Amino acid sequence: VDSTAATPALSQPITLGAHVVMHSATKYLNGHSDVVGGALVASSSFAETPIWARIAKHRRAAGATLGPFDAWLIQRGMRTLFLRVARQSESALAIARHFQHHPRIHVLYPGLPSFEGHELAAAQMPGGFGGMMSLRVRPAARPGDEEGVAAVPPLDAGPEGAMALAAAVKVFTRATSLGGVESLIEHRASIEGANSPVPQDLLRLSVGIEDCRDLIEDLSQAALLATGVEGWAGPTPERG
C-alpha cells in the first residue's frame, strides 16, 4: 500500500491488513522539500518471509540506502510530522468546505461527505483526510453557457479556467511536489503530458501550514479572475 499521502499520522495500513507499506519520504515524512528518500515497512509476519528477505538483500546489493545527512533530514522532519499533518488536514478541509458550493468549481476532497469515497476514507483515516485535494475549474461563462453548473465529472471543461486560476495565485506556489510546509498548486495534465488521463480542467493542490484564511483568500481572488463569478463567498474560519 502506498501511504505517502495519508502518512502514519492519519492511517496505519498494516493494522488494516496490509503486508507492506510504502512511503515517499521526500514528501510528508520529511516535510521540508529538501531531501529525496523512500521507505518500505513490513508487518511483523511478512518480515519473516522469503520475499522480504529478497527485498532486503536487493536493497543492500543495489546500494539503495540513505546517506547520513539525508537520514538526519528525514528524522528532523518526522519530529513535527503529526503537527504538520494535523494543520494541513484542517486547512484542506476548510478550503474544501469554502469552495464546495462554488458555481464553477468542483471540489475533490475525501473529507467532504459528497465525495464518492468519503465513508471509506473516514474508516481508514481516523486522524483526518490529509492535505491533498483537487479543484476542477470552469472558465468564465460565455453567451449560451448553462449558468450555475460546476465542472462535474466526467465532463471536462478544458484547461482555460484551471490555467487562469493557477496563474493568478499569490500565496500558493506553482510547483510539482507535495507534502511540504509550503502550499503548492499545479495543472497536473500539463505536467504528465499529452497522454495523461487527468482532466484538463483539474488543479492539484498540496496544502501547507500557512494560515488557511490566507490560502482561501488567495484562491478566492484567483477564482474570481478565472471564473468571473462575482458576489460569491463560502464559509471561512474567523481570524483569532
Side-chain angles (χ1 to χ4, degrees), residues 23-236:
H23 292 278
S24 171
T26 306
K27 308 303 193 296
Y28 284 98
L29 296 188
N30 169 254
H32 294 80
S33 306
D34 56 8
V35 71
V36 176
L40 289 179
V41 182
S43 65
S44 57
S45 60
F46 193 79
E48 302 298 326
T49 64
I51 296 175
W52 187 252
R54 290 200 300 271
I55 292 173
K57 180 180 179 180
H58 180 75
R59 173 178 175 270
R60 290 193 302 271
T65 55
L66 287 171
F69 186 61
D70 293 331
W72 180 83
L73 286 173
I74 294 174
Q75 183 184 52
R76 171 216 56 183
M78 290 179 65
R79 293 190 180 107
T80 60
L81 174 66
F82 283 76
L83 292 172
R84 288 185 284 104
V85 171
R87 175 62 174 261
Q88 290 163 319
S89 298
E90 178 183 315
S91 293
L93 182 58
I95 293 171
R97 286 173 172 167
H98 180 86
F99 287 101
Q100 67 176 326
H101 298 303
H102 191 285
R104 302 191 77 79
I105 294 177
H106 180 69
V107 181
L108 298 171
Y109 184 66
L112 294 178
S114 59
F115 185 77
E116 184 177 358
H118 172 72
E119 292 185 4
L120 179 61
Q124 294 185 351
M125 303 172 69
F129 298 96
M132 298 300 299
M133 62 188 304
S134 294
L135 304 177
R136 296 188 64 177
V137 186
R138 292 186 69 187
R142 301 182 181 87
D145 285 353
E146 183 179 357
E147 291 292 339
V149 180
V152 180
L155 301 177
D156 189 337
E160 180 183 345
M163 297 289 272
L165 193 154
V169 294
K170 300 176 181 178
V171 178
F172 277 81
T173 298
R174 290 177 291 277
T176 299
S177 191
L178 59 97
V181 293
E182 62 284 323
S183 292
L184 307 180
I185 188 170
E186 64 172 327
H187 184 249
R188 191 66 197 165
S190 296
I191 300 301
E192 295 188 1
N195 296 321
S196 172
V198 177
Q200 291 288 329
D201 59 8
L202 184 142
L203 295 173
R204 189 181 80 171
L205 279 62
S206 173
V207 178
I209 64 171
E210 304 92 341
D211 191 312
C212 71
R213 291 154 297 196
D214 291 335
L215 298 176
I216 289 173
E217 289 177 5
D218 187 33
L219 290 172
S220 295
Q221 62 84 23
L224 173 61
L225 295 174
T227 68
V229 176
E230 298 181 356
W232 179 91
T236 303

